[in-house]
Amino acid sequence: MPDDMDHAQARAEEYTADALREHWRHQKLGVGLSHCEECGEPIPEARRRAQPTATHCVDCQAALEVNQRRIT
């Protein structure tokens, strides 16, 4: 018979699944770019393999993420 911990764990799993679905729903679909949208430098092959939808080089992506954290 399920107890309170079982119910809490099931609820946590539901929240996690919902959060993952929401995350993937907002991801860009399609093919990334060969050159960075921001600086125009080539995006390394290793990055494009690891993140097929990449549109920025690592440095520009990091800068964008820092700026987004400042805004929120």
Side-chain angles (χ1 to χ4, degrees):
M1 183 154 128
D3 62 9
D4 289 341
M5 287 304 292
D6 292 328
H7 290 295
Q9 185 175 6
R11 190 71 160 172
E13 289 172 2
E14 289 173 16
Y15 286 142
T16 300
D18 289 344
L20 286 170
R21 273 192 294 278
E22 186 68 13
H23 168 78
W24 287 112
R25 191 171 71 85
H26 287 95
Q27 293 300 304
K28 294 179 183 176
L29 298 177
V31 178
L33 301 175
S34 62
H35 288 74
C36 178
E37 281 184 347
E38 191 70 24
C39 68
E41 291 294 316
I43 298 174
E45 180 65 28
R47 172 155 171 72
R48 291 188 290 138
R49 274 195 310 260
Q51 184 67 37
T53 60
T55 57
H56 294 85
C57 66
V58 173
D59 292 337
C60 290
Q61 183 65 42
L64 285 171
E65 290 174 11
V66 167
N67 288 336
Q68 284 176 345
R69 278 187 239 134
R70 288 182 184 155
I71 293 170
T72 58

